[in-house]
Coordinates of all heavy atoms in Angstrom, one line a residue:
M1 N 7.6 42.5 16.4 CA 7.1 43.7 15.7 C 8.2 44.7 15.8 O 8.9 44.8 16.9 CB 5.8 44.2 16.5 CG 5.3 45.5 15.9 SD 3.9 46.0 16.8 CE 3.1 47.0 15.5
P2 N 8.6 45.4 14.7 CA 9.7 46.3 14.7 C 9.5 47.5 15.6 O 8.3 47.9 15.8 CB 9.8 46.8 13.2 CG 8.7 46.1 12.4 CD 8.0 45.2 13.4
H3 N 10.6 48.0 16.1 CA 10.5 49.2 17.1 C 10.0 50.4 16.2 O 10.6 50.7 15.2 CB 11.8 49.4 17.7 CG 11.8 50.5 18.7 ND1 11.1 50.4 19.9 CD2 12.4 51.7 18.7 CE1 11.3 51.5 20.6 NE2 12.0 52.3 19.9
Q4 N 9.1 51.2 16.6 CA 8.6 52.3 16.0 C 9.5 53.4 16.3 O 9.9 53.7 17.5 CB 7.2 52.6 16.5 CG 6.4 53.6 15.8 CD 5.0 53.8 16.1 OE1 4.7 53.4 17.3 NE2 4.2 54.2 15.2
S5 N 9.8 54.3 15.2 CA 10.7 55.4 15.5 C 9.9 56.6 16.2 O 8.7 56.6 16.0 CB 11.4 55.9 14.2 OG 10.4 56.7 13.4
S6 N 10.6 57.5 16.9 CA 9.9 58.6 17.5 C 9.2 59.5 16.6 O 8.1 59.8 16.8 CB 10.9 59.4 18.3 OG 10.3 60.4 19.0
S7 N 9.8 59.7 15.3 CA 9.1 60.5 14.4 C 7.8 59.8 13.8 O 6.8 60.6 13.6 CB 10.0 60.9 13.3 OG 10.4 59.6 12.5
D8 N 7.8 58.5 13.7 CA 6.6 57.7 13.3 C 5.5 58.0 14.3 O 4.3 58.2 14.0 CB 6.8 56.2 13.1 CG 7.7 56.0 11.9 OD1 7.9 56.9 11.0 OD2 8.2 54.9 11.8
L9 N 5.9 57.8 15.6 CA 4.9 58.0 16.7 C 4.4 59.4 16.7 O 3.2 59.6 16.9 CB 5.6 57.6 18.1 CG 4.6 57.7 19.2 CD1 3.4 56.8 19.1 CD2 5.4 57.3 20.6
T10 N 5.3 60.3 16.6 CA 4.9 61.8 16.6 C 3.9 62.0 15.5 O 3.0 62.6 15.7 CB 6.1 62.7 16.4 OG1 7.0 62.5 17.5 CG2 5.7 64.1 16.4
N11 N 4.1 61.6 14.3 CA 3.3 61.7 13.2 C 1.9 61.2 13.3 O 0.9 61.7 13.0 CB 3.9 61.2 11.9 CG 5.2 62.1 11.4 OD1 5.2 63.3 11.7 ND2 6.0 61.6 10.7
Q12 N 1.9 59.9 14.0 CA 0.6 59.3 14.3 C -0.2 60.1 15.2 O -1.4 60.3 15.0 CB 0.9 57.9 14.8 CG 1.3 56.8 13.7 CD 1.4 55.5 14.4 OE1 1.6 55.3 15.6 NE2 1.4 54.5 13.6
L13 N 0.5 60.5 16.3 CA -0.2 61.3 17.4 C -0.7 62.7 16.8 O -1.8 63.0 17.1 CB 0.6 61.4 18.6 CG 0.8 60.1 19.4 CD1 1.8 60.4 20.6 CD2 -0.4 59.5 19.9
L14 N 0.2 63.3 16.0 CA -0.2 64.5 15.4 C -1.4 64.4 14.5 O -2.4 65.3 14.5 CB 1.0 65.2 14.7 CG 2.1 65.8 15.5 CD1 3.2 66.2 14.7 CD2 1.5 67.1 16.2
S15 N -1.5 63.3 13.7 CA -2.6 63.3 12.8 C -3.9 62.9 13.5 O -5.0 63.3 13.1 CB -2.3 62.1 11.7 OG -2.4 60.8 12.3
R16 N -3.7 62.2 14.7 CA -4.9 61.9 15.5 C -5.4 63.1 16.3 O -6.5 63.3 16.5 CB -4.6 60.7 16.3 CG -5.9 60.3 17.1 CD -5.6 59.0 17.8 NE -6.9 58.6 18.5 CZ -7.0 57.6 19.2 NH1 -6.0 56.7 19.3 NH2 -8.1 57.3 19.9
F17 N -4.4 63.8 17.0 CA -4.9 64.7 18.0 C -4.5 66.2 17.6 O -5.0 67.1 18.3 CB -4.2 64.4 19.4 CG -4.4 63.1 19.9 CD1 -3.5 62.1 20.0 CD2 -5.8 62.8 20.3 CE1 -3.8 60.9 20.5 CE2 -6.1 61.6 20.8 CZ -5.1 60.5 20.9
G18 N -3.7 66.4 16.6 CA -3.2 67.8 16.4 C -2.2 68.3 17.2 O -1.5 67.4 17.9
P19 N -1.8 69.5 17.2 CA -0.6 70.0 18.0 C -0.7 69.9 19.5 O 0.4 69.9 20.2 CB -0.5 71.4 17.5 CG -1.8 71.8 17.1 CD -2.5 70.6 16.6
T20 N -1.9 69.8 20.0 CA -2.1 69.7 21.5 C -2.9 68.4 21.8 O -3.8 68.1 20.9 CB -2.6 70.9 22.1 OG1 -3.8 71.2 21.7 CG2 -1.7 72.1 22.0
I21 N -2.7 67.9 22.9 CA -3.6 66.7 23.3 C -4.0 67.1 24.7 O -3.3 67.6 25.6 CB -2.8 65.4 23.3 CG1 -3.6 64.3 23.7 CG2 -1.5 65.5 24.0 CD1 -2.9 62.9 23.4
G22 N -5.3 66.8 25.0 CA -5.9 67.2 26.2 C -6.9 66.2 26.8 O -7.3 65.3 26.1
G23 N -7.3 66.4 28.0 CA -8.5 65.7 28.5 C -8.2 64.3 28.7 O -7.1 63.8 28.9
Q24 N -9.2 63.4 28.4 CA -9.0 62.0 28.6 C -7.9 61.5 27.6 O -7.2 60.5 28.0 CB -10.4 61.2 28.2 CG -10.3 59.7 28.4 CD -11.7 59.1 28.2 OE1 -12.5 59.6 27.4 NE2 -11.9 58.0 28.9
D25 N -7.8 62.0 26.5 CA -6.8 61.6 25.5 C -5.3 61.7 26.1 O -4.5 60.9 26.0 CB -6.8 62.3 24.2 CG -8.1 62.0 23.4 OD1 -8.6 60.9 23.5 OD2 -8.6 62.9 22.7
L26 N -5.1 62.9 26.8 CA -3.9 63.2 27.5 C -3.6 62.1 28.6 O -2.6 61.5 28.5 CB -3.8 64.5 27.9 CG -2.5 64.9 28.8 CD1 -1.3 64.7 27.9 CD2 -2.7 66.4 29.3
Y27 N -4.5 62.0 29.5 CA -4.2 61.2 30.6 C -4.1 59.7 30.3 O -3.2 58.9 30.7 CB -5.0 61.4 31.9 CG -6.5 60.9 31.9 CD1 -6.9 59.6 32.0 CD2 -7.5 61.9 31.8 CE1 -8.1 59.2 32.1 CE2 -8.9 61.5 31.9 CZ -9.1 60.1 32.0 OH -10.4 59.7 32.1
L28 N -4.9 59.2 29.3 CA -4.8 57.9 28.8 C -3.5 57.7 28.1 O -2.8 56.6 28.2 CB -6.0 57.4 27.9 CG -7.3 57.3 28.7 CD1 -8.4 57.0 27.7 CD2 -7.3 56.3 29.8
S29 N -3.0 58.6 27.2 CA -1.8 58.5 26.5 C -0.5 58.4 27.5 O 0.4 57.8 27.1 CB -1.6 59.7 25.6 OG -2.5 59.7 24.5
L30 N -0.7 59.0 28.6 CA 0.4 59.0 29.6 C 0.4 57.8 30.5 O 1.2 57.6 31.4 CB 0.4 60.3 30.4 CG 0.7 61.6 29.7 CD1 0.5 62.8 30.6 CD2 2.1 61.6 29.1
G31 N -0.7 57.0 30.3 CA -0.7 55.7 31.0 C -1.6 55.7 32.3 O -1.5 54.7 33.1
F32 N -2.4 56.8 32.5 CA -3.2 56.9 33.6 C -4.5 56.3 33.3 O -5.1 56.6 32.3 CB -3.3 58.3 34.1 CG -2.1 58.9 34.6 CD1 -1.2 59.7 33.8 CD2 -1.5 58.6 35.9 CE1 -0.1 60.3 34.2 CE2 -0.4 59.1 36.3 CZ 0.4 59.9 35.5
K33 N -5.1 55.5 34.2 CA -6.5 54.9 34.0 C -7.6 56.0 34.3 O -8.6 55.9 33.7 CB -6.6 53.6 34.8 CG -5.7 52.6 34.2 CD -6.1 51.3 34.9 CE -5.1 50.2 34.6 NZ -5.2 49.6 33.4
T34 N -7.2 56.9 35.2 CA -8.3 57.9 35.6 C -7.7 59.3 35.7 O -6.5 59.5 35.8 CB -8.8 57.6 37.0 OG1 -7.8 57.7 38.0 CG2 -9.4 56.2 37.1
Y35 N -8.6 60.4 35.5 CA -8.2 61.7 35.7 C -7.5 61.9 37.1 O -6.6 62.7 37.3 CB -9.3 62.7 35.5 CG -8.9 64.1 35.7 CD1 -8.1 64.8 34.9 CD2 -9.2 64.8 36.9 CE1 -7.7 66.0 35.1 CE2 -8.8 66.0 37.2 CZ -8.0 66.7 36.3 OH -7.5 67.9 36.5
A36 N -8.1 61.3 38.2 CA -7.7 61.5 39.5 C -6.3 61.0 39.6 O -5.4 61.7 40.3 CB -8.6 60.7 40.5
A37 N -5.8 60.0 39.0 CA -4.4 59.4 39.1 C -3.6 60.5 38.3 O -2.5 60.8 38.8 CB -4.3 58.1 38.4
F38 N -3.9 61.0 37.2 CA -3.2 62.0 36.4 C -3.1 63.1 37.3 O -2.0 63.7 37.4 CB -4.0 62.3 35.2 CG -3.6 63.6 34.5 CD1 -2.4 63.6 33.6 CD2 -4.2 64.7 34.7 CE1 -2.0 64.7 33.0 CE2 -3.8 66.0 34.1 CZ -2.7 65.9 33.2
H39 N -4.1 63.7 38.0 CA -4.1 64.9 38.8 C -3.1 64.7 39.9 O -2.5 65.6 40.3 CB -5.5 65.2 39.2 CG -5.7 66.5 39.9 ND1 -5.4 67.8 39.3 CD2 -5.9 66.8 41.2 CE1 -5.5 68.7 40.2 NE2 -5.8 68.2 41.4
R40 N -3.2 63.6 40.6 CA -2.2 63.4 41.8 C -0.8 63.4 41.2 O 0.1 64.1 42.0 CB -2.6 62.0 42.4 CG -3.8 62.0 43.3 CD -3.8 60.7 44.1 NE -4.0 59.5 43.3 CZ -5.0 59.0 42.8 NH1 -6.2 59.5 43.1 NH2 -4.9 57.9 42.1
S41 N -0.5 62.8 40.0 CA 0.8 62.9 39.6 C 1.3 64.3 39.2 O 2.4 64.7 39.4 CB 1.0 61.9 38.4 OG 2.3 61.8 37.9
Q42 N 0.3 65.0 38.7 CA 0.6 66.4 38.2 C 0.9 67.2 39.5 O 1.8 68.1 39.5 CB -0.6 66.9 37.5 CG -0.4 68.4 37.2 CD -1.7 69.1 37.0 OE1 -2.7 68.7 37.3 NE2 -1.5 70.2 36.2
Q43 N 0.1 67.0 40.6 CA 0.3 67.8 41.8 C 1.7 67.5 42.4 O 2.4 68.4 43.0 CB -0.7 67.4 42.8 CG -2.0 68.1 42.5 CD -3.1 67.8 43.5 OE1 -3.2 66.7 44.0 NE2 -3.9 68.8 43.8
R44 N 2.2 66.2 42.2 CA 3.6 65.9 42.7 C 4.7 66.3 41.7 O 5.8 66.0 41.9 CB 3.6 64.4 42.9 CG 2.9 63.9 44.1 CD 3.1 62.4 44.3 NE 3.0 61.6 43.3 CZ 2.0 60.8 42.8 NH1 0.9 60.9 43.5 NH2 2.0 60.1 41.8
E45 N 4.3 67.0 40.5 CA 5.2 67.3 39.4 C 5.9 66.1 38.9 O 7.1 66.2 38.7 CB 6.1 68.5 40.0 CG 5.3 69.8 40.3 CD 6.2 70.9 40.7 OE1 7.4 70.8 40.6 OE2 5.6 71.9 41.2
A46 N 5.2 65.0 38.7 CA 5.8 63.8 38.4 C 5.2 63.3 37.0 O 5.3 62.1 36.7 CB 5.6 62.7 39.4
L47 N 4.7 64.1 36.2 CA 4.0 63.7 35.0 C 5.1 63.3 33.8 O 4.8 62.3 33.1 CB 3.2 64.7 34.3 CG 1.9 65.0 35.1 CD1 1.1 66.1 34.3 CD2 1.0 63.6 35.1
G48 N 6.2 63.9 33.8 CA 7.2 63.6 32.8 C 7.0 64.5 31.5 O 7.9 64.6 30.7
V49 N 5.9 65.2 31.4 CA 5.7 66.1 30.3 C 5.2 67.5 30.9 O 4.5 67.4 31.9 CB 4.8 65.6 29.2 CG1 5.3 64.4 28.5 CG2 3.3 65.3 29.7
N50 N 5.4 68.5 30.2 CA 4.9 69.8 30.6 C 3.4 69.9 30.3 O 3.1 69.6 29.1 CB 5.7 70.9 29.9 CG 5.1 72.3 30.3 OD1 5.1 72.6 31.5 ND2 4.9 73.2 29.3
V51 N 2.6 70.2 31.2 CA 1.2 70.5 30.9 C 0.8 71.9 31.1 O 1.5 72.6 31.9 CB 0.3 69.5 31.7 CG1 0.5 68.0 31.3 CG2 0.4 69.7 33.3
F52 N -0.2 72.4 30.5 CA -0.5 73.8 30.6 C -2.0 74.0 30.3 O -2.7 73.1 29.8 CB 0.3 74.6 29.6 CG 0.2 74.1 28.1 CD1 -0.7 74.5 27.3 CD2 1.2 73.2 27.8 CE1 -0.8 74.1 26.0 CE2 1.2 72.7 26.5 CZ 0.1 73.1 25.6
K53 N -2.6 75.2 30.7 CA -3.9 75.6 30.4 C -3.9 76.4 29.1 O -3.0 77.0 28.8 CB -4.4 76.4 31.6 CG -4.5 75.8 32.9 CD -5.7 75.0 33.0 CE -6.0 74.5 34.4 NZ -7.2 73.9 34.6
L54 N -5.0 76.3 28.5 CA -5.3 77.1 27.2 C -6.4 78.1 27.5 O -7.4 77.7 28.1 CB -5.6 76.3 26.0 CG -4.4 75.4 25.4 CD1 -5.0 74.5 24.4 CD2 -3.4 76.3 25.0
P55 N -6.4 79.4 27.1 CA -7.3 80.4 27.3 C -8.6 79.9 26.8 O -8.8 79.4 25.6 CB -6.9 81.6 26.7 CG -5.4 81.5 26.5 CD -5.2 80.0 26.4
G56 N -9.7 80.0 27.6 CA -11.0 79.6 27.1 C -11.3 78.1 27.0 O -12.4 77.8 26.5
R57 N -10.5 77.3 27.5 CA -10.5 75.9 27.4 C -10.4 75.3 28.8 O -9.7 75.8 29.7 CB -9.5 75.3 26.5 CG -9.5 75.7 25.1 CD -10.6 75.2 24.2 NE -10.6 73.7 24.3 CZ -9.9 72.8 23.5 NH1 -9.1 73.4 22.6 NH2 -10.1 71.6 23.6
R58 N -11.2 74.3 29.0 CA -11.1 73.6 30.4 C -10.0 72.4 30.3 O -9.8 71.9 29.3 CB -12.4 73.0 30.8 CG -13.5 74.1 31.0 CD -14.8 73.4 31.4 NE -14.7 72.5 32.5 CZ -15.7 71.8 33.0 NH1 -16.8 71.8 32.4 NH2 -15.4 71.1 34.1
G59 N -9.5 72.2 31.5 CA -8.6 71.1 31.6 C -7.1 71.5 31.3 O -6.8 72.6 31.0
W60 N -6.3 70.4 31.2 CA -4.8 70.5 30.9 C -4.5 70.0 29.6 O -5.1 69.1 29.1 CB -4.1 69.7 32.0 CG -4.2 70.3 33.4 CD1 -5.1 70.0 34.3 CD2 -3.4 71.4 33.9 NE1 -5.0 70.8 35.5 CE2 -4.0 71.6 35.1 CE3 -2.4 72.2 33.4 CZ2 -3.4 72.7 36.0 CZ3 -1.9 73.1 34.2 CH2 -2.4 73.4 35.5
F61 N -3.5 70.6 29.0 CA -3.0 70.2 27.7 C -1.5 70.0 27.7 O -0.8 70.5 28.5 CB -3.4 71.3 26.7 CG -4.8 71.4 26.5 CD1 -5.6 72.3 27.4 CD2 -5.6 70.8 25.6 CE1 -6.9 72.4 27.2 CE2 -6.9 71.0 25.3 CZ -7.6 71.8 26.2
A62 N -1.0 69.2 26.7 CA 0.4 69.0 26.5 C 0.7 69.1 25.0 O -0.2 68.8 24.1 CB 0.9 67.7 27.1
L63 N 1.8 69.4 24.6 CA 2.2 69.4 23.2 C 2.3 67.9 22.8 O 2.9 67.1 23.5 CB 3.5 70.0 23.0 CG 3.5 71.6 23.1 CD1 4.9 72.2 23.0 CD2 2.5 72.3 22.2
T64 N 1.6 67.6 21.7 CA 1.6 66.2 21.2 C 2.9 65.6 21.0 O 3.3 64.5 21.4 CB 0.8 66.1 20.0 OG1 -0.6 66.6 20.2 CG2 0.6 64.7 19.4
G65 N 4.0 66.5 20.5 CA 5.3 66.0 20.2 C 6.0 65.7 21.5 O 6.8 64.7 21.6
D66 N 5.7 66.5 22.6 CA 6.3 66.1 23.9 C 5.8 64.8 24.4 O 6.6 64.0 25.1 CB 5.9 67.2 25.0 CG 6.6 68.5 24.6 OD1 7.5 68.6 23.8 OD2 6.3 69.6 25.3
V67 N 4.6 64.5 24.2 CA 4.0 63.2 24.7 C 4.6 62.1 23.8 O 5.1 61.1 24.5 CB 2.5 63.2 24.5 CG1 1.9 61.8 24.8 CG2 1.8 64.2 25.4
A68 N 4.8 62.3 22.7 CA 5.4 61.2 21.8 C 6.9 61.0 22.3 O 7.3 59.8 22.3 CB 5.4 61.6 20.3
T69 N 7.6 62.1 22.5 CA 9.0 62.0 22.9 C 9.1 61.3 24.3 O 9.9 60.4 24.4 CB 9.7 63.4 22.9 OG1 9.6 64.0 21.7 CG2 11.0 63.3 23.4
W70 N 8.2 61.6 25.2 CA 8.2 61.0 26.4 C 7.8 59.5 26.4 O 8.5 58.6 27.0 CB 7.2 61.7 27.4 CG 7.1 61.1 28.8 CD1 8.1 61.4 29.8 CD2 6.3 60.2 29.3 NE1 7.7 60.7 30.9 CE2 6.6 59.9 30.7 CE3 5.2 59.5 28.8 CZ2 5.9 59.0 31.4 CZ3 4.4 58.6 29.5 CH2 4.8 58.3 30.9
L71 N 6.9 59.1 25.5 CA 6.6 57.8 25.4 C 7.7 57.0 24.7 O 8.0 55.8 25.2 CB 5.3 57.6 24.4 CG 4.0 58.0 25.1 CD1 2.9 58.1 24.0 CD2 3.6 57.1 26.2
E72 N 8.3 57.5 23.9 CA 9.6 56.8 23.2 C 10.7 56.6 24.3 O 11.2 55.5 24.3 CB 10.0 57.7 22.0 CG 11.4 57.1 21.3 CD 11.1 55.8 20.6 OE1 10.0 55.6 20.2 OE2 12.1 55.2 20.4
K73 N 10.8 57.7 25.1 CA 11.9 57.5 26.1 C 11.5 56.4 27.1 O 12.4 55.6 27.5 CB 12.0 58.9 26.8 CG 13.1 58.9 27.9 CD 13.2 60.2 28.5 CE 14.2 60.1 29.6 NZ 14.3 61.4 30.4
Q74 N 10.3 56.4 27.5 CA 9.8 55.3 28.4 C 9.9 53.9 27.9 O 10.3 53.0 28.6 CB 8.4 55.5 28.8 CG 8.0 56.8 29.5 CD 9.1 57.2 30.5 OE1 9.2 56.4 31.5 NE2 9.7 58.2 30.3
S75 N 9.8 53.8 26.5 CA 9.8 52.5 25.9 C 11.3 51.9 25.8 O 11.5 50.7 25.7 CB 9.2 52.5 24.5 OG 10.1 53.1 23.6
T76 N 12.3 52.8 26.0 CA 13.7 52.5 25.9 C 14.4 52.5 27.2 O 15.5 52.1 27.3 CB 14.5 53.3 24.8 OG1 14.4 54.7 25.3 CG2 13.9 53.2 23.5
T77 N 13.7 52.9 28.3 CA 14.3 52.9 29.6 C 14.2 51.5 30.3 O 13.1 50.9 30.3 CB 13.4 53.9 30.5 OG1 13.5 55.2 29.9 CG2 14.1 54.0 31.8
Q78 N 15.3 51.1 30.8 CA 15.3 49.8 31.5 C 14.9 49.9 32.9 O 15.2 50.9 33.6 CB 16.7 49.3 31.4 CG 17.2 49.0 30.1 CD 16.4 47.8 29.4 OE1 16.1 46.8 30.0 NE2 16.1 48.0 28.1
G79 N 14.1 49.0 33.4 CA 13.8 48.9 34.8 C 12.9 49.8 35.3 O 12.6 50.0 36.4

């Protein structure tokens, strides 16, 4: 299967989630099976993407483009 470009991945994620991604979609996109695992990594500041709160909303959010960029980087990192 051909390697997907970062812009293709960004466009796919943007069309699915919009400019921000949060909740279960966020932690699953980052490769965590549970919110608890995501939360532990967040507390250690080891997520790899910036997460933030939004006024009037529950939970953590990230910019969709940042998630796409991080995923692309992970797919090209050796070892």
